[in-house]
Amino acid sequence: MIFTEEWLRQYVNPALSTDELADALTMAGLEVEEVTACAPAFTGVVVGEVLTCRDHENSDHLHVCEVNVGTGENLQIVCGAPNCRAGIKVACAMIGAVLPGDFRIKKSKLRGVVSMGMLCSTRELGINDNHDGIWILADDAPVGADIREYARLDDAKIELKLTPNRGDALSVVGVARDVHAITGAPLILPSMAPVPANSDVKLPVTIEAADLCGRFSHRVIKGLNGAAKTPDWMKARLERAGQRPISALVDISNYVMLELGRPSHFYDLNKIHGDSLSVRWAREGEKVELLNGQTVDLTPWFGVICANDTPECLAGIMGGESSSITEETTDLFIESAFWFPKAIQGRCRKLNFSTDAAYRYERGVDFASTVEHIEYITQLVLDICGTPETKVGPVEDVQANIPERKPVTMRVDRCCKVVGVDIPVEAMEASFTRLGFEHTFENGVFTVIPPSFRFDIEIEEDLIEEVARIWGYEKLPDRPPLTRTAMKISHEERRTGHTLRRELAKLGYQELINFSFVPEEWEKAYADNDKPIRLLNPIASQLSVMRTQLIGGLVDILRYNLNRRAERVRVFELGRVFFPDESVASGPWTVKGVHQPQHIAGLAYGDALDSQWGVAGRRTDFFDVKGDVERLVAPLKVRFVAETFPALHPGRSAGIYLGDKRIGFIGELHPRVMQQFELTHAPVVFEIEVEPVLNVPLPTYTPVSKFQPVTRDLAVVVPAATEVETLFNAVSEAKKKDLRLAPLTSFRLFDLYRPKEGAGADEKSLAFAIELNSRTEEALTELQTEGAVRAILEALESVGARLRA
């Protein structure tokens, strides 16, 4: 939001300097981002009048002018501007003037003719970039006056950086209200006296969608001069607010939006194809061509204003080309409507452009003043474009769904507690009064009716904020926050996700935090997901769906690092993934129809170890990352079952199981995916659900045996396809039932042999180390030892193993 200080002081003029005013606005929550002069420093430029203008004898484009600058002596000045002519008022830099860039004006000769000054353009004075010709002033400009004083070039431009909740401050009048509340300076609002109708011309409007448009005020004016010139004062204010003057009618609409915060729309009445207008939601297949030349394919998500049931413009966003106004426009239909913020929000993002009108409607525009603003617009239109033949129709006000302003209460003691200062009740009441809040006070409680222009006042804390900022944030004491601390019980049987993060960090992985929305191609490549959850308003066109896996983000960061010559990469992420699930209800931490579990995923690429002299270099393989996963979930025991997954190599991938439940996967990236994402070598990745691995068994005390352990080796032969996990499970189950296995403390694989060819090539030999120890006060006997070994062999034989000869 940009405006000039002079414009603001027209409505409220506190006894503050420019810097003090900017500081007061910032401390009240309207952050002043920048204060700049309307023009850079220059001197010696006055208002001049061109008395005569003749062509230069030795040039085809220069003119020799006689200029009156109010000194009693006319100056001869040579000028090359195409718009120079006798009878106009101009900005004249006299001898000795210093223009922006330290450009000094001296007596000179141009093609043999003496020039005693310079006629300036606005660009040469640093006012704007217009260099089409010299700056032509109004006919009533006083000759000899300093141009800085005449054109108010010492005025300051103030730019505010507003928070999204303060849509009411997107206007000069809105800012003036806050300055009045902050300083107490008198507030003088623009006059909005009714303009009487002198004709019954009208265009009926019906509202068919009350959830789109709550109020639609309008008026018809005929017999205007659309080619009238915009007044200089209005042009100057628009330009200094960042708006380019276009034509009188367009400029009036933009001016009212900046001054009052009221986006309005002007239609050329003669271009409206129909005898009435209707407001409704669009239908599938409809189209409308907008003022920016873009043709939009409409859906029922957009609101439209229709003539003869044909969309004329996009409600609350932009007008249509078919009814646009031009300098030939004589008959005008003026719209001043209230569109519900929820009916406008997100639409511009969908269309990939933004408008000043939509920016304001999204944040909320005053719904109670549409008629008054029509009257104000009417007066401006008549003053600038009116003719003796102008016919003004009556104001029509169609009301369909006026928002209800519910009372908001604020407890005085609660306010003082939250702010941390005992603010007097009188100061609270004065704040509400100056803010224009209708209020009552009873039993220590203020009951406030928010005004129609404040959509951000909904709960008690909103009122507390208003009291605090009007009281003055700078008055609040600087005290460090204090809080009571208490020791909380630590649940040993449950760890947190942060524990998993620390464990992976210890293993050399670095944590990533990626967006939860990803390109659709990632979902297809990594999860074979054709129906991901789509975003209505993605922050970028490529980030259009919600992720169901974390691997895509890890690979993307891997590519980023490889492009910067990183050779060894270890990264992980802990975050949520998103699955459609109609059984999920809405809640404080859930979205209806979306299951959002937490996953943790890791990626390893490059050498298994950093380069060193003691170990030969080798690339990271499946078993390196498998070991990392086992250390991550310890003390839980997971098993790995050979399975295939869309993004993983079919022969080098496995499902990760905790008990009978698969909680994740591990493996090398599929060659197809490597080729798609331009990877030279295959990284090894894993992803597991977080919730199942958070619960861990409590540690139990086991006394250390005073006897030495007994060790035995046992070698068996099994079919080549048999998984070692099957043998471990068989022994584990047998230990639960067979008392002979009570002394068993360790059972581990230490050797594997596969014949390369010939007899037995379809089998493999597995050697296990067995450790036994007494659980009693007596040492193990040979009989107990042999019984335990026999029990283990029986368990192994039950799953197809046989003792190796």
Side-chain angles (χ1 to χ4, degrees):
M1 175 66 189
I2 304 175
F3 56 90
T4 64
E5 182 180 1
E6 175 269 335
W7 196 355
L8 177 64
R9 289 186 183 273
Q10 177 181 335
Y11 304 121
V12 59
N13 190 14
L16 300 174
S17 67
T18 301
D19 291 340
E20 290 171 339
L21 176 61
D23 184 63
L25 286 170
T26 297
M27 294 307 299
L30 304 183
E31 181 184 352
V32 175
E33 191 165 31
E34 187 178 24
V35 178
T36 57
C38 290
F42 61 82
T43 60
V45 183
V46 298
V47 176
E49 181 181 10
V50 179
L51 301 178
T52 63
C53 179
R54 59 183 176 81
D55 292 339
H56 195 295
E57 295 179 356
N58 299 321
S59 173
D60 59 357
H61 69 281
L62 295 178
H63 309 283
V64 180
C65 305
E66 186 180 354
V67 181
N68 174 21
V69 292
T71 60
E73 182 180 352
N74 297 335
L75 303 179
Q76 177 177 280
I77 298 176
V78 178
C79 175
N83 60 341
C84 184
R85 62 185 183 276
I88 61 174
K89 300 286 182 69
V90 295
C92 178
M94 299 189 296
I95 300 298
V98 181
L99 302 188
D102 198 30
F103 180 70
R104 298 178 182 272
I105 303 300
K106 302 176 182 178
K107 180 180 177 181
S108 61
K109 275 189 176 183
L110 295 176
R111 301 285 179 92
V113 176
V114 174
S115 181
M116 301 296 293
M118 174 180 171
L119 305 186
C120 303
S121 69
T122 52
R123 188 172 75 172
E124 288 164 339
L125 296 178
I127 299 172
N128 56 36
D129 292 329
N130 186 5
H131 197 54
D132 294 337
I134 56 176
W135 184 10
I136 299 179
L137 307 177
D139 293 339
D140 59 355
V143 174
D146 189 311
I147 197 67
R148 296 194 73 90
E149 294 181 6
Y150 166 73
R152 297 188 178 93
L153 298 181
D154 290 321
D155 192 10
K157 292 192 293 185
I158 300 174
E159 182 174 358
L160 299 183
K161 184 179 180 181
L162 298 173
T163 53
N165 64 314
R166 290 305 306 273
D168 64 293
L170 287 168
S171 66
V172 178
V173 167
V175 176
R177 289 195 193 101
D178 260 34
V179 173
H180 163 67
I182 298 163
T183 65
L187 177 65
I188 304 173
L189 295 177
S191 173
M192 299 187 186
V195 178
N198 60 9
S199 171
D200 61 352
V201 292
K202 61 180 67 175
L203 183 67
V205 176
T206 57
I207 299 176
E208 299 177 7
D211 55 339
L212 166 64
C213 179
R215 187 175 187 180
F216 195 106
S217 303
H218 55 96
R219 178 175 237 169
V220 172
I221 305 177
K222 289 189 172 184
L224 295 172
N225 175 18
K229 301 299 181 182
T230 304
D232 288 344
W233 62 267
M234 182 178 286
K235 278 185 179 180
R237 286 182 172 178
L238 289 173
E239 287 176 344
R240 293 171 187 180
Q243 294 279 350
R244 180 175 61 89
I246 299 174
S247 67
L249 291 176
V250 174
D251 293 345
I252 290 171
S253 179
N254 289 336
Y255 179 82
V256 171
M257 179 184 67
L258 294 173
E259 184 177 42
L260 305 180
R262 167 68 61 192
S264 59
H265 185 56
F266 291 0
Y267 301 72
D268 190 322
L269 185 65
N270 296 322
K271 294 181 181 179
I272 297 177
H273 303 293
D275 53 6
S276 66
L277 296 179
S278 60
V279 180
R280 61 171 173 81
W281 293 107
R283 305 185 185 111
E284 290 287 352
E286 289 184 324
K287 296 184 178 182
V288 62
E289 183 181 358
L290 302 178
L291 290 172
N292 61 1
Q294 181 175 335
T295 299
V296 176
D297 294 320
L298 300 173
T299 69
W301 196 48
F302 293 96
V304 290
I305 302 171
C306 301
N308 278 352
D309 210 33
T310 300
E312 285 281 343
C313 67
L314 212 50
I317 298 176
M318 185 178 285
E321 180 64 28
S322 62
S323 58
S324 61
I325 57 174
T326 65
E327 291 189 354
E328 286 74 38
T329 297
T330 58
D331 300 341
L332 193 65
F333 177 82
I334 304 174
E335 164 207 322
S336 174
F338 168 70
W339 308 99
F340 284 97
K342 289 185 177 179
I344 307 299
Q345 290 167 356
R347 274 65 176 181
C348 282
R349 184 182 295 277
K350 184 74 172 178
L351 297 170
N352 292 323
F353 67 79
S354 181
T355 66
D356 290 329
Y359 188 81
R360 286 161 172 78
Y361 281 125
E362 286 174 339
R363 289 154 176 77
V365 174
D366 187 2
F367 57 82
S369 59
T370 56
V371 172
E372 289 81 359
H373 291 176
I374 280 277
E375 301 287 6
Y376 186 69
I377 293 169
T378 301
Q379 190 62 60
L380 286 174
V381 170
L382 294 179
D383 290 345
I384 298 172
C385 302
T387 67
E389 293 77 28
T390 298
K391 301 294 184 182
V392 180
V395 175
E396 299 285 308
D397 185 25
V398 182
Q399 300 184 18
N401 184 13
I402 302 298
E404 179 186 359
R405 306 305 281 162
K406 296 181 179 179
V408 182
T409 60
M410 186 194 78
R411 296 161 289 175
V412 171
D413 56 349
R414 173 66 177 167
C415 178
C416 294
K417 181 179 180 181
V418 171
V419 177
V421 174
D422 290 331
I423 301 176
V425 173
E426 294 77 13
M428 298 181 186
E429 188 169 11
S431 298
F432 293 144
T433 300
R434 294 207 299 260
L435 284 166
F437 291 5
E438 181 184 341
H439 63 278
T440 58
F441 180 69
E442 186 177 356
N443 298 327
V445 177
F446 281 98
T447 301
V448 176
I449 305 296
S452 57
F453 52 82
R454 289 297 296 270
F455 285 77
D456 59 323
I457 306 299
E458 296 180 336
I459 58 176
E460 184 177 30
E461 283 71 16
D462 295 331
L463 294 178
I464 294 173
E465 180 186 1
E466 294 300 300
V467 169
R469 72 185 189 89
I470 301 303
W471 170 257
Y473 290 134
E474 70 279 3
K475 297 180 182 179
L476 303 182
D478 293 330
R479 287 198 292 258
L482 299 175
T483 184
R484 296 182 181 275
T485 59
M487 296 294 292
K488 293 186 177 181
I489 298 174
S490 176
H491 298 284
E492 292 184 75
E493 74 280 3
R494 186 171 176 85
R495 55 189 169 186
T496 65
H498 193 60
T499 305
L500 303 179
R501 287 189 175 101
R502 285 200 304 267
E503 190 61 37
L504 280 176
K506 291 177 186 176
L507 294 170
Y509 289 77
Q510 295 188 6
E511 185 175 9
L512 306 177
I513 300 177
N514 286 311
F515 284 129
S516 296
F517 17 89
V518 299
E520 188 173 356
E521 64 172 326
W522 287 11
E523 281 300 298
K524 179 63 178 176
Y526 296 112
D528 197 24
N529 182 10
D530 292 323
K531 296 181 179 179
I533 299 174
R534 299 185 181 278
L535 296 171
L536 289 177
N537 301 303
I539 63 170
S541 58
Q542 70 273 19
L543 304 179
S544 58
V545 301
M546 301 302 292
R547 65 186 180 186
T548 60
Q549 43 71 38
L550 305 179
I551 302 301
L554 302 183
V555 174
D556 187 56
I557 297 301
L558 170 63
R559 295 177 62 205
Y560 180 89
N561 281 273
L562 293 179
N563 290 337
R564 285 149 184 81
R565 307 187 70 82
E567 297 180 352
R568 187 173 184 271
V569 178
R570 300 287 188 280
V571 290
F572 79 94
E573 180 177 7
L574 190 153
R576 295 193 180 277
V577 292
F578 303 83
F579 299 96
D581 187 347
E582 295 301 326
S583 65
V584 177
S586 296
W589 308 107
T590 59
V591 177
K592 183 178 181 181
V594 181
H595 179 47
Q596 307 176 45
Q598 279 194 321
H599 283 196
I600 188 168
L603 176 148
Y605 180 92
D607 290 343
L609 300 171
D610 287 324
S611 298
Q612 54 183 293
W613 61 270
V615 179
R618 64 175 181 83
R619 299 198 69 81
T620 299
D621 61 20
F622 175 93
F623 297 100
D624 291 315
V625 179
K626 174 177 175 289
D628 291 341
V629 173
E630 290 174 331
R631 285 189 287 273
L632 172 66
V633 303
L636 299 177
K637 301 292 184 182
V638 293
R639 56 194 179 90
F640 300 84
V641 179
E643 293 179 359
T644 58
F645 298 89
L648 301 184
H649 193 297
R652 300 173 187 174
S653 60
I656 304 174
Y657 284 79
L658 182 62
D660 294 329
K661 179 185 178 182
R662 188 175 75 189
I663 63 170
F665 57 81
I666 181 174
E668 285 187 7
L669 214 57
H670 197 289
R672 167 183 48 80
V673 179
M674 288 173 53
Q675 182 179 12
Q676 180 178 351
F677 294 100
E678 301 176 346
L679 297 176
T680 306
H681 301 287
V684 182
V685 299
F686 71 87
E687 183 170 337
I688 61 175
E689 298 177 32
V690 170
E691 182 59 32
V693 300
L694 295 182
N695 294 317
V696 294
L698 285 172
T700 56
Y701 169 73
T702 302
V704 179
S705 176
K706 60 184 179 181
F707 303 105
Q708 292 185 352
V710 177
T711 59
R712 294 286 189 273
D713 293 343
L714 181 63
V716 296
V717 177
V718 296
T722 302
E723 296 179 357
V724 176
E725 189 72 28
T726 304
L727 305 184
F728 282 127
N729 290 340
V731 173
S732 178
E733 290 298 319
K735 185 179 179 180
K736 298 176 183 178
K737 304 173 184 178
D738 197 330
L739 295 178
R740 292 178 294 172
L741 292 178
L744 180 63
T745 57
S746 174
F747 179 74
R748 61 182 181 83
L749 177 70
F750 73 87
D751 186 49
L752 166 65
Y753 173 71
R754 296 177 186 269
K756 293 184 178 180
E757 56 184 18
D762 57 347
E763 294 181 321
K764 60 185 176 183
S765 172
L766 303 173
F768 296 91
I770 303 170
E771 183 178 292
L772 306 168
N773 210 332
S774 174
R775 304 275 186 182
T776 66
E777 293 297 320
E778 298 179 356
L780 287 177
T781 65
E782 187 65 25
L783 184 61
Q784 290 175 314
T785 301
E786 292 301 324
V789 174
R790 171 49 58 185
I792 292 173
L793 182 58
E794 291 173 359
L796 298 178
E797 289 175 341
S798 68
V799 291
R802 70 174 191 276
L803 187 65
R804 190 172 73 188

